[in-house]
Amino acid sequence: MRLSKGWLAAIIIIAVLLVDQIVKIWIKTHMYLGESIFVTDWFQIYFIENNGMAFGMEMGSKLFLTLFRIVAVGALIYAIFRIKDKPRYSAGFIACVALITAGAAGNIIDSVFYGMIFNNPMPPAVAQMFPPDGGYAPLFHGKVVDMLYFPLFSFYWPDWVPFIGGQFFLFFQPIFNIADAAITVGILVLILFYSKALSIPEDEEPKPTVE
């Protein structure tokens, strides 16, 4: 039996959430903040936490960001229900929206609950889940766990380059998580392969009113 687009979206969201949270919980309970595990020259497991949005960016207050994510995920889930049965939107398009939804939801879980279910000891101690003395922050004020670090290459800018001459440059500096990766992949694939589906079709555009 062929999998419907609605079930496809549900499976993607659940799978991404499970993998994202399993990895984050393992990192929290097995690594101390700031610890790094060297995998290759271009990949490390590097445990950090942040209050901001994707890739550790800091934007606005913590509570505002958490509430914004919740509203955004609600809107994305509503959109999936609205478009899942429309022939115009392919399974690939629905899968991309599901990836974005799952990624946003994964970071919401950190923001909403992690402050209550984990403590935040000083390194080299690792966090404890459901500590007897309570968590490190109230509801909606938890920190997002990041761990994927890809320092692909680095160099020093030549001295003759204006403003940045002689400075050290590292690519790729941001540390992120699986939820961030899901959001990024979903958005990039939408832009590259489904840009036409993002536009409003002519038969759905609002018609001008004749007075």
Side-chain angles (χ1 to χ4, degrees):
M1 189 174 79
R2 187 177 179 181
L3 191 67
S4 70
K5 289 183 285 187
W7 276 111
L8 174 64
I11 291 170
I12 289 173
I13 292 172
I14 293 170
V16 171
L17 282 176
L18 282 176
V19 173
D20 179 64
Q21 289 302 309
I22 288 171
V23 170
K24 287 175 176 176
I25 291 172
W26 188 91
I27 293 292
K28 284 283 293 181
T29 56
H30 289 79
M31 296 178 66
Y32 60 82
L33 189 63
E35 184 178 2
S36 175
I37 299 175
F38 182 88
V39 182
T40 70
D41 289 337
W42 49 267
F43 175 49
Q44 299 176 34
I45 305 296
Y46 197 142
F47 174 28
I48 66 168
E49 294 179 314
N50 71 83
N51 291 319
M53 301 184 74
F55 300 102
M57 293 184 293
E58 299 285 342
M59 297 176 62
S61 71
K62 177 64 183 175
L63 182 60
F64 171 80
L65 290 173
T66 302
L67 294 175
F68 174 80
R69 289 192 186 106
I70 293 173
V71 172
V73 168
L76 287 168
I77 292 173
Y78 175 75
I80 291 173
F81 274 103
R82 285 288 304 273
I83 68 177
K84 64 182 178 63
D85 296 323
K86 294 184 177 181
R88 169 182 170 80
Y89 300 100
S90 67
F93 183 92
I94 298 295
C96 290
V97 179
L99 282 173
I100 298 168
T101 304
N107 286 333
I108 284 174
I109 294 173
D110 298 31
S111 298
V112 174
F113 299 110
Y114 273 26
M116 298 185 65
I117 66 176
F118 290 105
N119 61 358
N120 196 18
M122 292 291 294
V126 300
Q128 180 182 354
M129 196 172 187
F130 302 113
D133 297 331
Y136 65 84
L139 191 70
F140 292 106
H141 288 79
K143 294 184 177 181
V144 176
V145 175
D146 291 329
M147 78 295 294
L148 302 177
Y149 181 40
F150 291 88
L152 298 179
F153 60 87
S154 62
F155 61 85
Y156 284 92
W157 289 101
D159 292 333
W160 52 264
V161 177
F163 306 112
I164 57 174
Q167 296 184 18
F168 180 76
F169 176 80
L170 173 64
F171 183 91
F172 175 75
Q173 293 191 53
I175 302 171
F176 58 99
N177 56 42
I178 292 171
D180 296 332
I183 294 172
T184 303
V185 170
I187 291 174
L188 287 178
V189 175
L190 277 181
I191 293 172
L192 292 175
F193 300 103
Y194 298 104
S195 56
K196 290 183 178 180
L198 293 172
S199 61
I200 302 175
E202 291 183 3
D203 58 354
E204 292 182 17
E205 289 181 349
K207 301 296 190 297
T209 301
V210 179
E211 295 184 1

